[in-house]
Amino acid sequence: MNGRKDKAGRLLGSALLAAALCTPVVIASQAMAQAAAPSEARMSFDIPAQALSSALTAFGIQSGYQVAVDQATLAGLQSPGLRGSATPREALRQLLGSTGLIARFTDSRSVVLDRPPQGSGAAVLPPVVVEGQHAAPLTATIGSLPPEYAGGQVARGGRVGVLGNQDAMDVPFSMTSYTSQTIRDQGATTIGEVLANDPAVRTGYGFGNYSELFVIRGFQLAGDDLSVDGLYGMAPRQIVSTEMYERVEVLRGATAFLNGVPPGGTGIGGSINLVPKRAADTPLTSITGNFTPESHAGGHIDMGRRFGRDNALGLRINAAHREGETSIEHEQRSTTMGSLGFDFRGDDTRVTLDMSSQRQRIDQGRPVVNVNATTVVPRVPDSTHNYGQTWSYSDLTDTSAQLRAEHDVTANTTVYAVIGARQMREDGDYSSQTVTNGNTGASTASRLTVPREDSAESGTIGMNGEYITGEVRHKISLGAAAVHNINRNAFSSGAAQATNIYADQTLLRPVNSSISAGGFNTPPKVSETTFTSFFISDTLGFFEDSVLLTLGLREQQLRTQNYNRAGPQTSSISERALSPVIGLVYKPVPSVAIYVNRIEGLAQGPVASGTGITNAGEVFPPYISTQYEAGVKYDSGKLGFGAAVFQTEQPLSLTENNRFKVEGEQRNQGVEFSFYGEAIDGLRVLGGVTVTEAIQTNTANNTNDGRHAIGVPQYQGNLGLDWDVPGVKGLALSGRLLYTATQYLNASNSQEIPDWLRLDAGARYATEIHQQPVTFRLFVENLANKDYWASANGGYLTQGRPLTARLSATVDF
């Protein structure tokens, strides 16, 4: 298949197929949720002075109360707003101000507003209901998901580690939470496709496999180090499907105090948290058909219901399957996943249970490319060309379960516990190429077969409390956490054979060489890690929360045991570290937040390895990095901006005189700028720019001191626009530009890949067919079919995908 052929015919055919498959299915729905349980705990409100109707909407979202009022009654009325701590009833009185309206509570969470009666003949008008989402106390983590921001592409905040769900304006960190709307509208099927929207993140492949590897602020974050609902060790390995998640949250910067130590040893530059889907009060049944012009097709069903008294029980089910050839020639991928999200919300107790299973298989995947140190960087092959071998494949199955429960001991104190377990099996034949002549593309390809099994258990117990002492409000978090991982694997390899990255050369699968170890059916234990920690923090609010000071400390212990594949333990290390945080937020006005932070990153140390190394197997102490950051955020209610300057330092490993050492340092200094929201009605924006100066210091023999770090572009930026076409109801068009500057492939900076600019575009149309809402979506990545090396991070090359069109049709019932 020639990837440069015109694909218009196949796109049209796929669209017709989508319409044909999405026929109505009638499924009974449950009634809308009734009022939530009463809660007169003090809450934090941030509602600026504005029209009373808008202020009541914000009140409903932040408090969970239902406010019924005739719209004509609100005409022309203004609210003085409210910022600070108050009970919902106190807040409502403040918001009504001198409007003359009175509030009549009809039950514990419903209120009717009206003018004082002037006579028995006063007319009773039908109410207009302003509804807020079901709200939990401020000390809760379940049911406290921040609302969507204007435009719906991002949320107002997200999970900030042990601090729980927070509004972005209240924390001294940089964060973005991408919503299910963004995932659906762009047809994103993996986390990397979602994070293409983020100006501080770039995505490549892992070393020797097809895993998505994220680079945040110039530092790697492996797919194994993503968290799920705040818990490490539960995310599927290598590639994570989006269908089971409501949001993808990015927290930029070091997070050792907030999240603890990632089990995979990455994440110095930031963290990614995946938010599981939950049943909403409104019944949901959504069926989607997915198609690409290359005959890669599938479907997804998403169902949510609530049951029982006051709709206390919720169930959310997702199932998806897709398979076929991708836009890269001869590359076949298939994905099957299923997830179940159960939740219970009582008067003072909440419980969630999330279970998921995912299988990913890739046949003849296009691999990463290594480059010999003595040659030039090869030009980029044709965007659709596949230099992977026909016998190469990767097959992964992940199964996990996660249980969370919390109980309100008092109106302002909540205790919680969460525990999760995961099992993974990986089989594969991997074959990355090493270019020996960059001018001709001559290379070699060998084989590495690595059956692997991972088991992980993770858990946290803790307490969240909110208290007032004098004029100071305290938000207390304390608890303990643990992550336990066992890795079992075996391997065999085949000898290298000559090939070329520009030619179609099919090699026979190499026979096993003398380099192999372990049994393939039951791989032996290779490593066991146990990370435990205790944490405590206090966020102090001064002057009605216009000044917020966060202080925290986490004591962490990292235990690592390594084994050879014959059974005996080869090395062991146990280290302790203190991870502090201090952050300050100052709000001169409600719409502006100025912040600073000092926080550390922590990762398990490396194990000495390499040809000719005299101290092979030596385990080094944990990496400790230090971050300083200052920034400002602006929130107009419709449009948000963020700007930050940061510096993060991380130790580097190096080899000197045949000895593996940890002595070098990578210092990343940078500036970030981001924007999001709805600039004008019907026009949504999302993007930003990141400038990073990543410099090496204290390198071996000072050879590379002052040179740029591998794979960190000095400039990268995004611009995304999403526009409702005037005069055509239901039609929207979108476009996205991504720019990434040059990157160095080696530490000496003698090998460099060019900068690249990519254009993506999309369209969607919402209509009704047989009285059922139907939405057609088309999103095209790399519209110009550009050939480019997307990443040099890790010291190897990941090629960008060719023109890739994702077409879907969704029917909602």
Side-chain angles (χ1 to χ4, degrees):
M1 180 188 65
N2 187 343
R4 293 186 178 276
K5 291 182 179 180
D6 182 12
K7 301 179 179 178
R10 282 175 291 172
L11 283 172
L12 179 59
S14 297
L16 294 174
L17 181 60
L21 290 182
C22 292
T23 54
V25 176
V26 178
I27 298 179
S29 65
Q30 296 294 317
M32 295 288 288
Q34 300 175 9
S39 174
E40 278 300 289
R42 299 184 70 83
M43 299 180 178
S44 179
F45 291 93
D46 191 355
I47 303 175
Q50 57 189 301
L52 181 57
S53 59
S54 299
L56 292 174
T57 300
F59 169 79
I61 292 173
Q62 296 181 30
S63 69
Y65 274 61
Q66 294 183 343
V67 183
V69 60
D70 178 67
Q71 193 64 36
T73 303
L74 304 179
L77 297 181
Q78 296 291 313
S79 171
L82 170 63
R83 185 180 67 190
S85 178
T87 68
R89 296 177 187 238
E90 292 170 346
L92 189 57
R93 285 195 293 269
Q94 170 70 19
L95 293 174
L96 294 178
S98 60
T99 61
L101 298 181
I102 59 173
R104 177 170 53 87
F105 289 90
T106 58
D107 61 32
S108 60
R109 277 189 179 265
S110 299
V111 59
V112 176
L113 300 184
D114 207 345
R115 295 193 179 278
Q118 297 180 353
S120 58
V124 179
L125 301 175
V128 175
V129 179
V130 182
E131 291 187 346
Q133 64 187 37
H134 174 82
L138 290 180
T139 51
T141 54
I142 299 174
S144 60
L145 197 65
E148 294 181 355
Y149 196 75
Q153 294 181 305
V154 301
R156 291 198 57 89
R159 179 179 290 275
V160 187
V162 297
L163 302 182
N165 289 316
Q166 299 283 336
D167 190 291
M169 295 290 285
D170 293 337
V171 293
F173 309 105
S174 174
M175 63 186 303
T176 303
S177 178
Y178 298 96
T179 64
S180 58
Q181 175 181 312
T182 299
I183 297 172
R184 289 194 309 268
D185 288 347
Q186 297 179 359
T189 58
T190 71
I191 303 304
E193 291 171 357
V194 178
L195 295 183
N197 295 286
D198 198 291
V201 182
R202 288 296 182 260
T203 304
Y205 278 179
F207 180 77
N209 57 30
Y210 313 111
S211 64
E212 289 188 327
L213 179 74
F214 310 102
V215 182
I216 308 177
R217 289 186 173 179
F219 295 107
Q220 291 185 1
L221 175 69
D224 294 355
D225 286 341
L226 275 60
S227 63
V228 177
D229 202 21
L231 203 62
Y232 276 138
M234 298 299 104
R237 177 168 163 79
Q238 293 200 10
I239 301 172
V240 182
S241 297
T242 59
E243 284 88 352
M244 65 185 94
Y245 299 112
E246 181 72 21
R247 292 180 183 175
V248 178
E249 301 175 333
V250 181
L251 182 60
R252 304 176 191 89
T255 60
F257 165 76
L258 298 171
N259 298 326
V261 180
T266 64
I268 295 297
S271 64
I272 297 171
N273 181 57
L274 309 176
V275 180
K277 290 181 175 178
R278 300 268 183 264
D281 287 329
T282 304
L284 168 71
T285 302
S286 178
I287 299 177
T288 299
N290 302 292
F291 312 91
T292 73
E294 293 79 21
S295 74
H296 191 276
H300 171 215
I301 183 168
D302 184 358
M303 296 179 59
R305 294 290 188 276
R306 300 208 70 85
F307 309 92
R309 182 182 177 184
D310 294 334
N311 282 350
L313 300 175
L315 184 64
R316 186 79 176 263
I317 300 173
N318 279 265
H321 177 78
R322 53 185 180 274
E323 63 178 303
E325 186 172 336
T326 73
S327 54
I328 299 170
E329 293 175 341
H330 312 305
E331 181 180 273
Q332 300 278 335
R333 296 195 178 217
S334 69
T335 302
T336 303
M337 63 73 54
S339 69
L340 182 151
F342 166 84
D343 74 276
F344 166 76
R345 58 191 196 196
D347 290 350
D348 54 13
T349 302
R350 295 162 295 280
V351 179
T352 62
L353 173 64
D354 297 292
M355 296 184 289
S356 69
S357 180
Q358 173 185 289
R359 181 179 181 183
Q360 294 267 2
R361 183 175 176 101
I362 303 171
D363 289 285
Q364 198 176 346
R366 184 165 70 186
V368 299
V369 175
N370 300 286
V371 179
N372 191 293
T374 61
T375 190
V376 298
V377 175
R379 64 174 173 82
V380 190
D382 183 271
S383 64
T384 62
H385 178 60
N386 190 350
Y387 31 83
Q389 294 303 310
T390 57
W391 40 263
S392 62
Y393 77 99
S394 179
D395 195 345
L396 301 101
T397 300
D398 271 276
T399 303
S400 68
Q402 185 168 327
L403 176 67
R404 180 183 295 269
E406 60 185 32
H407 176 71
D408 303 326
V409 180
T410 67
N412 54 0
T413 303
T414 299
V415 294
Y416 66 91
V418 55
I419 188 170
R422 169 177 161 264
Q423 293 287 332
M424 187 281 303
R425 170 75 189 201
E426 173 184 358
D427 292 282
D429 277 347
Y430 299 101
S431 180
S432 299
Q433 299 205 17
T434 299
V435 174
T436 56
N437 188 323
N439 295 311
T440 65
S443 59
T444 60
S446 57
R447 174 183 60 81
L448 181 64
T449 303
V450 186
R452 171 172 173 160
E453 293 180 353
D454 287 351
S455 61
E457 297 86 33
S458 185
T460 304
I461 58 173
M463 183 276 287
N464 296 325
E466 182 172 333
Y467 314 101
I468 295 178
T469 59
E471 299 296 323
V472 180
R473 183 170 61 88
H474 299 265
K475 285 186 175 181
I476 306 291
S477 296
L478 60 88
V483 181
H484 177 246
N485 284 274
I486 296 178
N487 168 230
R488 304 175 185 273
N489 69 64
F491 73 90
S492 71
S493 63
Q497 304 177 69
T499 183
N500 193 293
I501 63 171
Y502 302 126
D504 290 320
Q505 292 184 314
T506 301
L507 305 175
L508 294 177
R509 183 180 184 274
V511 297
N512 288 351
S513 69
S514 59
I515 304 176
S516 63
F520 278 28
N521 292 328
T522 56
K525 181 160 66 172
V526 174
S527 67
E528 182 172 2
T529 59
T530 304
F531 302 156
T532 57
S533 65
F534 300 89
F535 58 86
I536 184 169
S537 71
D538 186 4
T539 297
L540 298 89
F542 304 92
F543 310 113
E544 296 185 341
D545 287 349
S546 62
V547 176
L548 297 167
L549 175 64
T550 298
L551 303 171
L553 186 67
R554 186 189 287 253
E555 182 189 31
Q556 312 202 58
Q557 183 170 25
L558 289 71
R559 298 185 182 93
T560 301
Q561 297 169 297
N562 295 302
Y563 302 83
N564 69 27
R565 291 174 176 81
Q569 181 175 306
T570 57
S571 61
S572 177
I573 189 170
S574 179
E575 295 282 343
R576 291 185 178 273
L578 290 176
S579 301
V581 64
I582 179 171
L584 180 67
V585 177
Y586 170 55
K587 297 181 182 179
V589 294
S591 59
V592 176
I594 303 168
Y595 72 92
V596 295
N597 72 56
R598 193 271 189 194
I599 191 170
E600 293 182 354
L602 183 65
Q604 59 179 320
V607 179
S609 61
T611 304
I613 297 297
T614 59
N615 61 330
E618 181 181 351
V619 182
F620 286 81
Y623 280 161
I624 298 177
S625 64
T626 304
Q627 172 191 288
Y628 299 92
E629 180 179 351
V632 61
K633 305 172 188 177
Y634 172 73
D635 179 5
S636 72
K638 295 280 286 182
L639 197 62
F641 297 91
V645 294
F646 62 88
Q647 174 178 297
T648 307
E649 299 171 347
Q650 178 187 7
L652 286 177
S653 58
L654 55 91
T655 300
E656 189 173 30
N657 300 324
N658 293 326
R659 185 171 182 81
F660 187 93
K661 307 165 67 175
V662 178
E663 288 188 358
E665 183 178 82
Q666 178 178 329
R667 183 179 65 246
N668 289 14
Q669 297 175 319
V671 179
E672 291 174 352
F673 175 74
S674 62
F675 52 85
Y676 48 89
E678 194 165 17
I680 58 176
D681 289 344
L683 179 63
R684 293 160 289 279
V685 297
L686 184 61
V689 175
T690 299
V691 181
T692 308
E693 190 80 7
I695 301 298
Q696 305 171 72
T697 61
N698 300 321
T699 59
N701 301 316
N702 304 118
T703 303
N704 295 317
D705 286 7
R707 301 187 192 276
H708 290 274
I710 294 173
V712 183
Q714 199 165 5
Y715 307 97
Q716 59 189 53
N718 292 32
L719 174 60
L721 300 175
D722 192 88
W723 177 54
D724 296 332
V725 178
V728 186
K729 184 180 179 180
L731 179 63
L733 303 176
S734 64
R736 184 175 67 190
L737 278 173
L738 287 80
Y739 173 75
T740 302
T742 58
Q743 304 171 54
Y744 291 105
L745 186 61
N746 59 358
S748 64
N749 293 178
S750 61
Q751 296 173 318
E752 181 181 13
I753 66 171
D755 62 346
W756 55 269
L757 179 68
R758 193 182 90 194
L759 173 63
D760 303 336
R764 64 182 179 276
Y765 179 62
T767 184
E768 286 191 358
I769 298 178
H770 301 301
Q771 298 182 335
Q772 297 291 349
V774 180
T775 304
F776 297 93
R777 296 180 176 93
L778 171 66
F779 194 84
V780 182
E781 180 184 311
N782 193 6
L783 185 65
N785 205 25
K786 181 180 177 62
D787 308 330
Y788 66 102
W789 294 121
S791 172
N793 206 278
Y796 51 85
L797 299 172
T798 301
Q799 185 172 351
R801 287 193 298 196
L803 184 152
T804 302
R806 302 191 288 265
L807 180 68
S808 69
T810 300
V811 181
D812 294 312
F813 301 95

